[in-house]
Amino acid sequence: MPFGGRVTGLLLSLCCALVQLGCTLLAILCPLSGGLRLVGVPLVDAWECGWIDFLPVGPCPGPPPGRATVSPDPPFSVPRCYAAILLCWGISVLGEPVKMDKNSRRGNWGNQIEFILTSVGYAVGLGNVWRFPYLCYRNGGGAFMFPYFIMLVFCGIPLFFLELSFGQFASQGCLGVWRISPMFKGVGYGMMVVSTYIGIYYNVVICIAFYYFFSSMTNLLPWTYCNNPWNTASCNGVVTPKGINSTLANATRSLVTGAAQAAVEVVNKTKRTSPSEEYWKHYVLNISDDIGNFGDVRLPILGCLAVSWVVVFLCLIRGVKSSGKVVYFTATFPYVVLTILFIRGITLEGAVTGIKYYLTPQWHKILDAKVWGDAASQIFYSLGCAWGGLITMASYNKFHNNCYRDSIIISITNCATSVYAGFVIFSILGFMAHHLNVDVSEVADHGPGLAFVAYPEALTLLPISPLWSLLFFFMLILLGLGTQFCLLETLVTAIVDEIGTDWIMKNKTVVTGGVAVVGFLLGVPLTTQAGIYWLLLMDNYAASFSLVIISCIMCICIMYVYGHKKYFKDVEMMLGFPPPIFFRVCWRFVSPIIISFILIFTVIQYKPITYNDYVYPGWSLAIGFAMALSSVICIPIYALYKIAKSEGNTFLERLKKSCRPDIKWGPALSEDRIGRYAAPGSEADVEVRPLKEELKEKEEEKRDEISLSIQGSNGSTAHNTTPSA
Ligand SMILES: *[C@@H]1O[C@H](CO)[C@@H](O)[C@H](O)[C@H]1NC(C)=O
Ligand SMILES: *[C@@H]1O[C@H](CO)[C@@H](O)[C@H](O)[C@H]1NC(C)=O
Ligand SMILES: *[C@@H]1O[C@H](CO)[C@@H](O)[C@H](O)[C@H]1NC(C)=O
Ligand SMILES: *[C@@H]1O[C@H](CO)[C@@H](O)[C@H](O)[C@H]1NC(C)=O
């Protein structure tokens, strides 16, 4: 409690909020109002409202055609302002008084809303925006919703509930929960490996969004026109400069690309490269021609990567205590932005065409196995099953929390968000297609191509485009951060729970910082000129079929090795009611079958990854497979190790022994350990075991002790009443 009481914390937060409001207002007003003026004296010129100087971004995008004034050093810098905000929030979070938790060792969520918001932030990620809408329109539009929701009900929600109940029951991270059957702890290690890979590249995506966010803080988006130094002759924008003297525009161009190229002005519709694409490839990434050709580290992106790791670290500085507060904003504000963009998009000409593209059902496709496979995979990957994050988040729940309700709320919210995001994406793509007079399919894209090329380009068509661009990238950042928090927390929790000493429990921040630094360093190769190839490689391989295998083994382990009856009892003990019959059937039969189906489908559908026209060389694919295998391989290796180390004469004995639950398996708090988890000698245990005489003795003892224990609250006296026998 470095800063004392609640009042100080409140004042600090208020202060931060004010600074933040001021910065945000300036950030929006400065580009819009044509610069900043102080008593009539222009401080900052409009198009350079102080964004670029914070980051080493190299040459500025240049003034819009027709403007040539460059004021050398803008005094006002919004990024500096934002850096101050981050610092401020960091201090105020550190200074907040600590509330006592039920689980004083590990801590709990402040309240249930924090858990739900965090899990929503975790499940709702970039994939909901840049993958689902595209999948939907490729797989039969509205007809895709049918398999999608079937898969949600039979696979998504049951798996979600399984992981939440598993983590909540044991109050342990993704390694500790495997006390349920120590031989399978490799599954936990596999989850950690997957989370590490995802954590590394996910933050690079966030950092690129940061980069675009900062770049959007001008009054002219740098990817609007083709008059920048990095543009090539084939560049052809969707916006024709209005009111700009075309002689000047021509002059700028011939200066830039040379008079000879300027002559090649023939617009080839089939080979149009948009300025946004060139900005992305030639300026932001400065992409190299081959995955092995690393080139230089892109310093601006490296800077942004540092920024995004610092943000993630600050938000997690006090574990779920601080991230639980941050998610009130990060998990809800994307919906505000989505709604603003939705209203903007839907009121544009051509929006309806785009949405028709997205939703028109093509019922004949529903019989296609590919559609069902895509639906199942999308549900599976987008809910974040088998990443370990759900187990981790649920482990901070109170023992009797109703995670059954939570899992239904969260998974349905996730899917509804995907559908909603589709409207936002396709309304604006429809508008652009209408403007260009082409088919929507020509502008539709997915992945980074949608987020950083197609959508930003469409935004340049709107009046006050920097504002929409700012909002869009801010939303991407928040969506990404919500997921990134949980990925980092998963790793930290697993490490801390595994070591488990008092020192590390108290100094969790050190572990968080260490993991963040390592994550940053591992992310550096992804900021080189070949980084985008590696990013897509990781996205395609590191987290694909390995997740399916991990999830399948988890399901089988709990249901068949540990035993479904025991698990149902555990859930009943925790929730007060057994899992509904539907979930019991799903867990035991339906979900494992669907998961196997996804696996088979993934293998059959396997196509080597490509990026636009670039075909990955064989050795890089081998690396991709190695990454995928590295997580799965943990499972057999650990199992063999465990069998070798356990006692027993025959292999079968050892196997049985290593499958049996650890003595520490069960609820974390002694007051929750009742029934068959009761520690030998505790009150709850006595009712089951002892001989009759002992029981009488015990009752007498109890009567004596009742005056003592009357002050203790529910069950906390269990250890005091140790029977003399
Ligand atoms: C464009 O600018 C040039 C030189 O600045 C001038 O000679 C010409 O008249 C202008 N054209 C128009 C249409 O304003
Ligand atoms: C600018 O260039 C275009 C294409 O090269 C040409 O058609 C146009 O006449 C030029 N405008 C001026 C004012 O030179
Ligand atoms: C446009 O591109 C196509 C295909 O790349 C090519 O065949 C055609 O000659 C090009 N047209 C012009 C005018 O450059
Ligand atoms: C892109 O990289 C090349 C070397 O690969 C370099 O010459 C060029 O200046 C870089 N461009 C930018 C915009 O940084």
Side-chain angles (χ1 to χ4, degrees), residues 153-300:
V153 169
F154 284 97
C155 178
I157 298 180
L159 283 178
F160 209 88
F161 181 31
L162 183 65
E163 289 202 21
L164 288 193
S165 54
F166 192 28
Q168 180 175 318
F169 185 75
S171 295
Q172 285 288 321
C174 66
L175 289 183
V177 283
W178 293 100
R179 288 171 185 166
I180 193 173
S181 181
M183 195 179 102
F184 288 90
K185 196 170 174 185
V187 178
Y189 284 109
M191 287 175 171
M192 277 182 75
V193 172
V194 171
S195 286
T196 310
Y197 287 135
I198 301 176
I200 291 170
Y201 79 76
Y202 222 80
N203 227 0
V204 176
V205 178
I206 299 175
C207 95
I208 296 177
F210 262 115
Y211 185 92
Y212 270 79
F213 180 70
F214 291 139
S215 313
S216 303
M217 304 216 163
T218 80
N219 75 338
L220 179 75
L221 294 175
W223 56 88
T224 311
Y225 299 118
C226 285
N227 61 349
N228 303 292
W230 58 84
N231 288 126
T232 62
S234 57
C235 176
N236 180 31
V238 286
V239 194
T240 39
K242 263 180 260 138
I244 290 165
N245 189 329
S246 59
T247 316
L248 202 61
N250 281 6
T252 322
R253 167 161 296 219
S254 16
L255 272 179
V256 168
T257 52
Q261 278 180 329
V264 194
E265 267 273 301
V266 190
V267 178
N268 199 337
K269 269 265 179 206
T270 57
K271 281 190 79 177
R272 190 183 81 91
T273 51
S274 58
S276 65
E277 189 177 342
E278 299 203 335
Y279 179 75
W280 160 248
K281 280 192 172 166
H282 302 321
Y283 186 70
V284 178
L285 303 176
N286 198 1
I287 193 167
S288 67
D289 54 356
D290 185 72
I291 186 168
N293 185 2
F294 281 96
D296 303 323
V297 168
R298 298 286 297 142
L299 285 181

Side-chain angles (χ1 to χ4, degrees), residues 471-514:
L471 282 174
F472 177 70
F473 288 112
F474 192 50
M475 178 186 77
L476 284 191
I477 292 170
L478 292 182
L479 287 179
L481 282 180
T483 307
Q484 185 69 19
F485 292 158
C486 299
L487 288 169
L488 186 59
E489 184 62 39
T490 302
L491 297 176
V492 172
T493 302
I495 295 172
V496 169
D497 282 353
E498 189 60 14
I499 298 177
T501 59
D502 284 333
W503 184 87
I504 205 144
M505 287 278 180
K506 287 213 183 70
N507 293 283
K508 214 172 143 186
T509 313
V510 180
V511 183
T512 312

Side-chain angles (χ1 to χ4, degrees), residues 50-66:
W51 285 100
I52 309 294
D53 68 335
F54 178 70
L55 305 157
V57 284
C60 289

Side-chain angles (χ1 to χ4, degrees), residues 586-604:
C586 278
W587 286 347
R588 289 182 66 193
F589 310 110
V590 182
S591 303
I593 291 172
I594 295 181
I595 299 174
S596 318
F597 166 70
I598 300 176
L599 182 62
I600 295 167
F601 172 80
T602 314
V603 172
I604 293 175

Side-chain angles (χ1 to χ4, degrees), residues 459-474:
L459 291 178
T460 60
L461 290 169
L462 301 176
I464 49 169
S465 48
L467 176 66
W468 309 118
S469 176
L470 277 177
L471 282 174
F472 177 70
F473 288 112
F474 192 50

